[in-house]
Amino acid sequence: MRTIHLALLGLGTVGTGVARILREQARHLESQSGARFAIRWVVVRDPSKPRGIELEDGILTTEVDRAISDPEVDIVVELIGGIDPARDLIARSLRAGKHVVTANKAVLAKHGRELFGVANASGRVIGFEAAVAGGIPIVAAVAQGLAANRISSLAGILNGTSNYILTAMHQQGIGYDEALAEAQRLGFAEADPTLDVDGNDALQKLAILSRLAFQSRVPLEAIRRQGIDTLADVDLHFASELGYVIKLLAVAREVEGKLALRVSPTLVARNHPLGQVHNEYNAIKVTGHAIGDTIYLGKGAGMMPTASSVVADLLDVAIGRAQETFRSLKLWDESPPGPPVSDDGSMPNRFYLRYSIRDEPGTLARIAGILGGHGISIASVIQHETSEDDIGSAVPLIIMTHIAREGAVRTALRETDALDIVRAPTVCLHVAD
Amino acid sequence: MRTIHLALLGLGTVGTGVARILREQARHLESQSGARFAIRWVVVRDPSKPRGIELEDGILTTEVDRAISDPEVDIVVELIGGIDPARDLIARSLRAGKHVVTANKAVLAKHGRELFGVANASGRVIGFEAAVAGGIPIVAAVAQGLAANRISSLAGILNGTSNYILTAMHQQGIGYDEALAEAQRLGFAEADPTLDVDGNDALQKLAILSRLAFQSRVPLEAIRRQGIDTLADVDLHFASELGYVIKLLAVAREVEGKLALRVSPTLVARNHPLGQVHNEYNAIKVTGHAIGDTIYLGKGAGMMPTASSVVADLLDVAIGRAQETFRSLKLWDESPPGPPVSDDGSMPNRFYLRYSIRDEPGTLARIAGILGGHGISIASVIQHETSEDDIGSAVPLIIMTHIAREGAVRTALRETDALDIVRAPTVCLHVAD
Ligand SMILES: NC(=O)c1ccc[n+]([C@@H]2O[C@H](COP(=O)([O-])OP(=O)(O)OC[C@H]3O[C@@H](n4cnc5c(N)ncnc54)[C@H](OP(=O)(O)O)[C@@H]3O)[C@@H](O)[C@H]2O)c1
Ligand SMILES: NC(=O)c1ccc[n+]([C@@H]2O[C@H](COP(=O)([O-])OP(=O)(O)OC[C@H]3O[C@@H](n4cnc5c(N)ncnc54)[C@H](OP(=O)(O)O)[C@@H]3O)[C@@H](O)[C@H]2O)c1
């Protein structure tokens, strides 16, 4: 039986999970691949740190150069994260003739074109199933299982931290700060949760997935982004009242020959399949011309789910399948055949508008008139009866629109928000179909 | 660019879809695979039948021998269905050096071992993504995406016809016969729906999936089967009252080192992900030791979804990936390493019991006493107040148990059903976790 030698860069959350699966499932992996995996090097920053796994003597090192240039090593598994030094290490590993498997969405979203170029030039592959939606085999589903389809849209809950926080807010009726603290206590949010709650993590994953699904070049700047950190608690309450939950949705959709992309808090009907995805789970809905709607759901992060996808990639390389895929699909081609990305990411949608108004006769009529003038029709309204106390203060007026052009909505909002009866900038959220 | 020549056996629902994708997506498929597909032969029974697609002159034929022995043909696509002549045609095609792609669950579930043996001996592959859950790429997910996992259970809604009928019964409150008629009118059930509603179709798919997921030999006889054709409307009403829906669930689970399998109408909590799968949709929940729960949802049948999976297999062969998978995974190995199949398919479960009882004091106590004596504890009970009219007639008593051993439940039922107060055989259904 062949032995495949690995260099593991990083032995943190995911690295430890990978080492554990390789050890505990050794027999199973041999029967799946016809090969044996041996960890030759494990590279870390601090070799004195206690580790959650026992390693063979002499394989733990800080000497990354030695690991990636070791002629015995077949595959470098990059689980350090971030841009530097990951970008450089991946490129050098490929040039040294190693295949690379990585869970690093940040470096692929930003430098994918460069790194896939190096891989192609070196005749080596980059496996990245773990970089998107942790344990869900969505990269393979999109690149292979649905390959006969022209994909028209993707919509995903791609950030487990945000989804955990939103679920807690909806189900326990708590505010954002309390929900974030709970997520941190339970290990679903990091000490610095910025990249998760501001939508950047979901944006990176969306960029990678859209690249595969639409075969378009997707510059990160082309993706409109809003995180859950800007969300007001009151909008979750109104969403609930209307039969919706708010989810951080990452959406890519072909609109009139262009690819529109965004990440934003979105109202999803409570009985919509994506409205049922709770806590740290991720899910992706993919719509193809032949297949219609398909949905993939699972844990999007965590030690073992993510490691499961890393090891699936190792098996793919061991079997030789990854090499065939890479050769033929020309992933991250220089000039991909897909639709160009739209400038402003706008797509026709239903919208949720929360006005802060002075409650006086004729207010709704004036606002509705302006919306109507821009071709935006109203599907439903919530305006609660005001009490004595409210007189003179701003009260909320919720409007759900029918499908409207995003540009028209933005223009209309500029007009309505200039009215004297509108007391604060109007909150505008997308509503999922 | 290479050209790959196909012989299509069958131009019915799925065959027409395949021919359509090959024509309409030719450019897209070329960019996905680096190869061009050309249909060399289309074999049908009746060449004079009008077809939903135009074919090149001279390729429609009834001469199947000529098609499968044509040295130019690279892949035979078997879309005839059934056992005979499909079994023989697949074997002969493989021996003639052709790869085979098929959507035929019946022949694989029954003669998989023989046919995969021929494929291995001939150095050719059998692609069968379309044979299970139509458009959902579940075969690849289980065999590749989750390959790092030890899978502990599978639970799926694998028959779109049954699911359509059950959805209609629940949502419209109509009876079985009316729902079946509606499904037939809308094309979701065939004129003879037997194999769908009696659970055999789901059973065949479960056998194939379990073979992959557990690497066990799964004789069809080892799978316990009950269809929706035996279901009483009243059980759907009680299920609803309890917050459940009834789904035809196909389940395979490792229980104490053995693989237990069954297909049966099962109560699924209304807010369980599988309880939300409506109409003709299929879904499969796969639980792995590393990944936890994952769910795959999509259309399980129909022209284009099924054709999408057939064409995905064609791409896999064109790319060379299918060959690598086949070589290493030793699908349908003679002596698979997975757990042996249990004799009686019984697994610990919660149960729904509907008694028909004579309504008299102490009845519930007597029944509960017998259940308790077998270690079965009661989670909830429904017994409606009886009216004057009911006196002397049988009234329903619904008992939901906590998790219990299936053997104990069967023994207890034999005892309770022998009581004079029990007026008809008790209905016993599984309840999903
Ligand atoms: N955690 C998840 O749930 C998850 C899910 C999906 C994808 N990912 C991705 O997986 C990757 C790894 O994430 P993680 O959560 O496992 O990170 P982590 O727990 O922070 O582990 C990082 C590891 O890299 C090592 N390291 C950092 N800088 C290094 C350097 N310059 N040279 C050598 N070693 C260095 C660290 O060494 P020390 O141990 O000595 O500090 C540590 O072992 C990231 O790209 C992340 O985005 C993670
Ligand atoms: N329909 C679905 O949604 C679906 C979904 C998943 C899997 N499948 C599977 O796909 C396969 C095909 O199903 P289908 O619905 O497409 O069937 P279908 O519509 O009944 O078509 C069968 C085709 O096979 C041809 N045929 C039958 N016997 C033949 C013979 N002895 N020699 C040559 N040709 C023969 C028929 O020829 P004529 O046209 O001349 O009668 C017809 O074109 C089956 O295995 C089925 O289980 C179907």
Side-chain angles (χ1 to χ4, degrees), chain A residues 43-290:
Chain A
V43 183
V44 295
R45 256 177 324 202
D46 176 1
S48 67
K49 228 190 230 180
R51 307 280 164 186
I53 185 157
E54 268 186 52
L55 298 171
E56 276 176 54
D57 282 346
I59 69 173
L60 196 72
T61 178
T62 58
E63 294 177 51
V64 69
D65 292 338
R66 184 157 156 206
I68 66 177
S69 61
D70 182 342
E72 237 192 50
V73 167
D74 302 294
I75 309 178
V76 171
V77 187
E78 187 278 301
L79 300 170
I80 289 176
I83 305 291
D84 290 316
R87 172 187 181 186
D88 180 53
L89 294 176
I90 293 174
R92 282 166 52 208
S93 301
L94 293 165
R95 288 204 191 92
K98 320 302 184 194
H99 298 295
V100 170
V101 170
T102 179
N104 190 333
K105 55 228 145 203
V107 79
L108 292 184
K110 190 141 185 231
H111 300 291
R113 198 141 60 95
E114 168 195 318
L115 294 174
F116 282 83
V118 177
N120 281 328
S122 313
R124 292 298 177 272
V125 313
I126 303 178
F128 55 101
E129 183 62 79
V132 184
I136 309 174
I138 186 68
V139 169
V142 167
Q144 304 172 34
L146 306 185
N149 287 263
R150 286 237 321 287
I151 293 176
S152 57
S153 82
L154 283 180
I157 294 172
L158 296 178
N159 183 266
T161 302
S162 297
N163 204 45
Y164 188 89
I165 293 171
L166 292 173
T167 305
M169 290 173 75
H170 270 295
Q171 293 186 347
Q172 306 171 39
I174 57 180
Y176 176 78
D177 294 329
E178 200 180 331
L180 170 59
E182 174 179 314
Q184 286 172 321
R185 201 170 54 243
L186 298 176
F188 294 118
E190 300 190 37
D192 176 2
T194 313
L195 286 177
D196 290 313
V197 297
D198 75 2
N200 260 307
D201 173 83
L203 181 150
Q204 291 166 350
K205 295 168 182 168
L206 180 66
I208 296 172
L209 263 192
S210 310
R211 188 68 178 73
L212 289 174
F214 298 94
Q215 304 186 280
S216 294
R217 183 175 296 176
V218 183
L220 294 180
E221 318 76 66
I223 306 181
R224 291 249 308 266
R225 172 178 62 84
Q226 185 189 345
I228 63 165
D229 48 355
T230 60
L231 205 54
D233 298 354
V234 64
D235 291 312
L236 277 94
H237 298 139
F238 282 117
S240 293
E241 197 175 328
L242 290 157
Y244 291 80
V245 288
I246 295 185
K247 296 287 179 191
L248 184 67
L249 270 202
V251 179
R253 199 196 302 167
E254 200 173 328
V255 180
E256 295 166 3
K258 294 212 169 168
L259 183 62
L261 304 109
R262 70 176 156 81
V263 173
S264 66
T266 301
L267 277 77
V268 181
R270 203 176 287 132
N271 61 1
H272 184 289
L274 294 180
Q276 315 268 358
V277 178
H278 300 311
N279 298 322
E280 77 274 28
Y281 277 82
N282 282 12
I284 303 114
K285 179 173 150 207
V286 186
T287 307
H289 89 285

Side-chain angles (χ1 to χ4, degrees), chain B residues 63-274:
Chain B
E63 294 178 50
V64 69
D65 292 338
R66 182 157 158 205
I68 66 176
S69 60
D70 181 341
E72 238 192 50
V73 166
D74 303 294
I75 309 178
V76 171
V77 187
E78 186 278 301
L79 299 170
I80 289 175
I83 306 290
D84 289 316
R87 173 187 180 185
D88 179 53
L89 294 176
I90 292 174
R92 283 166 52 207
S93 300
L94 293 165
R95 287 205 191 91
K98 320 301 184 194
H99 298 295
V100 170
V101 170
T102 178
N104 190 334
K105 56 229 145 205
V107 79
L108 292 184
K110 189 139 187 233
H111 300 291
R113 198 142 60 95
E114 168 195 318
L115 294 174
F116 282 84
V118 178
N120 281 327
S122 315
R124 292 297 177 273
V125 313
I126 303 178
F128 56 101
E129 184 62 81
V132 184
I136 307 175
I138 186 68
V139 169
V142 167
Q144 304 172 34
L146 306 185
N149 286 265
R150 287 235 319 286
I151 292 175
S152 57
S153 83
L154 282 180
I157 294 172
L158 296 178
N159 182 265
T161 302
S162 296
N163 205 45
Y164 188 90
I165 292 171
L166 292 173
T167 305
M169 291 173 74
H170 271 296
Q171 293 186 346
Q172 306 170 38
I174 56 180
Y176 176 79
D177 294 331
E178 200 180 332
L180 170 58
E182 174 179 314
Q184 286 172 318
R185 201 169 53 244
L186 297 175
F188 294 117
E190 299 189 39
D192 176 2
T194 312
L195 286 178
D196 291 313
V197 297
D198 75 2
N200 261 308
D201 173 83
L203 181 150
Q204 291 166 350
K205 295 169 181 167
L206 180 66
I208 296 172
L209 264 192
S210 310
R211 188 70 178 72
L212 289 175
F214 299 94
Q215 303 186 282
S216 295
R217 183 176 297 176
V218 183
L220 295 180
E221 318 75 66
I223 306 180
R224 291 248 308 266
R225 173 178 61 84
Q226 185 190 343
I228 63 165
D229 49 355
T230 60
L231 206 54
D233 299 354
V234 65
D235 291 311
L236 279 93
H237 298 139
F238 282 117
S240 293
E241 197 175 328
L242 290 157
Y244 291 80
V245 290
I246 295 185
K247 296 288 179 191
L248 184 69
L249 228 56
V251 178
R253 198 197 301 167
E254 200 174 325
V255 180
E256 296 165 2
K258 295 213 167 165
L259 184 61
L261 305 110
R262 71 176 155 80
V263 172
S264 66
T266 301
L267 277 77
V268 180
R270 203 177 288 130
N271 62 0
H272 185 289
L274 294 179

